[in-house]
Amino acid sequence: MSETGHHTHIPFRENRFLIFSLVLMLLAFLLTGWIAWLNYSMHRSATTQILKSQQLQERAQAHVQDQYTEYLKQEAANRRFEKAFEIKQRHYADFMGAVSDAWLAVNRSDTTAELRDTTLLENALHQMRKSCYGLEPFMDMGGRHFLQKRITLFEKLSTQLASGAEYRYKVNQDADKAQLSGISDELQSFLYPLLFEPAAAQETQSGN
């Protein structure tokens, strides 16, 4: 007696259900992956936007800080300029006032022997020296050397003219007075632009 093989037959309905389930699972997997990728992309985009916003904010803050720092530097520079200007103005006025007093003392002593008094001249020359020390920090070595030479010559001539010494020739006395007056003008012409018009003084020195 021959045996016939027994094969299990799976209905098509059951195969269709299995395939449908597999498709659903695949779709669910793909959907989950797409949602995960979408969340990642949105998170990455949001993170990038936040970083850009932070960078822009930091740049803006840095710009404001730089502007404030520059403002403080400018204010400090303005205060230093104003303070230096006041100091220079005070010493310059004292110096040129002393030069004027010295010139006045020389001319007063020349008027008559009874009015001759060296006290005014001595005080004026002393004030010149004191004011000169206040001006020196605002000059370079060449300027200080020039000023000291002119002051020394001014002191010599004014003292000689106010001492009452008789000049052998009046023309020599007039020449010394003219030189003294010239030094007075020279001191003013030298100091004023140097102290209050430094750019113009530099251009003049460069041209010379």
Side-chain angles (χ1 to χ4, degrees):
M1 182 179 176
S2 62
E3 295 179 357
T4 59
H6 180 74
H7 299 284
T8 304
H9 178 72
I10 301 175
F12 175 74
R13 182 178 294 177
E14 295 180 4
N15 289 339
R16 186 175 59 182
F17 178 76
L18 180 61
I19 293 172
F20 183 72
S21 298
L22 291 174
V23 171
L24 288 178
M25 290 176 61
L26 180 60
L27 290 175
F29 176 77
L30 293 175
L31 181 61
T32 303
W34 180 76
I35 293 175
W37 176 84
L38 184 61
N39 289 335
Y40 169 76
S41 299
M42 293 178 63
H43 176 73
R44 185 177 179 181
S45 177
T47 302
T48 302
Q49 292 297 329
I50 291 174
L51 289 176
K52 289 183 178 180
S53 178
Q54 289 177 345
Q55 290 176 352
L56 291 175
Q57 185 176 6
E58 290 173 357
R59 290 176 184 174
Q61 291 177 347
H63 182 65
V64 172
Q65 184 64 35
D66 291 341
Q67 286 184 327
Y68 182 66
T69 301
E70 186 64 27
Y71 168 77
L72 293 179
K73 289 181 180 179
Q74 187 62 41
E75 283 295 305
N78 291 338
R79 286 194 294 270
R80 288 194 299 269
F81 175 81
E82 292 174 359
K83 185 64 177 178
F85 184 86
E86 292 176 1
I87 295 173
K88 289 188 291 186
Q89 187 180 39
R90 182 174 70 252
H91 289 302
Y92 173 78
D94 291 343
F95 182 86
M96 293 309 302
V99 171
S100 178
D101 289 342
W103 177 247
L104 177 63
V106 169
N107 284 275
R108 179 180 295 177
S109 63
D110 184 53
T111 304
T112 175
E114 287 74 12
L115 296 178
R116 186 173 294 127
D117 183 6
T118 61
T119 302
L120 177 60
L121 179 61
E122 291 173 356
N123 291 339
L125 296 179
H126 180 63
Q127 181 61 48
M128 281 182 62
R129 282 291 178 183
K130 288 197 305 180
S131 302
C132 174
Y133 298 143
L135 294 173
E136 282 186 338
F138 303 100
M139 295 183 289
D140 57 17
M141 184 178 297
R144 291 193 296 271
H145 180 69
F146 176 87
L147 185 61
Q148 289 293 345
K149 285 182 61 177
R150 292 301 183 275
I151 290 177
T152 300
L153 183 57
F154 186 90
E155 289 175 335
K156 178 182 178 181
L157 286 173
S158 59
T159 300
Q160 180 175 329
L161 287 166
S163 64
E166 295 293 336
Y167 278 83
R168 185 174 182 180
Y169 299 105
K170 189 176 184 303
V171 65
N172 293 335
Q173 184 180 20
D174 293 339
D176 284 349
K177 285 186 177 182
Q179 186 177 8
L180 188 68
S181 179
I183 295 175
S184 301
D185 296 337
E186 191 177 16
L187 288 171
Q188 183 178 13
S189 299
F190 168 73
L191 283 175
Y192 188 88
L194 179 67
L195 297 173
F196 306 109
E197 299 174 354
Q202 289 179 359
E203 290 180 0
T204 301
Q205 292 176 0
S206 300
N208 296 334

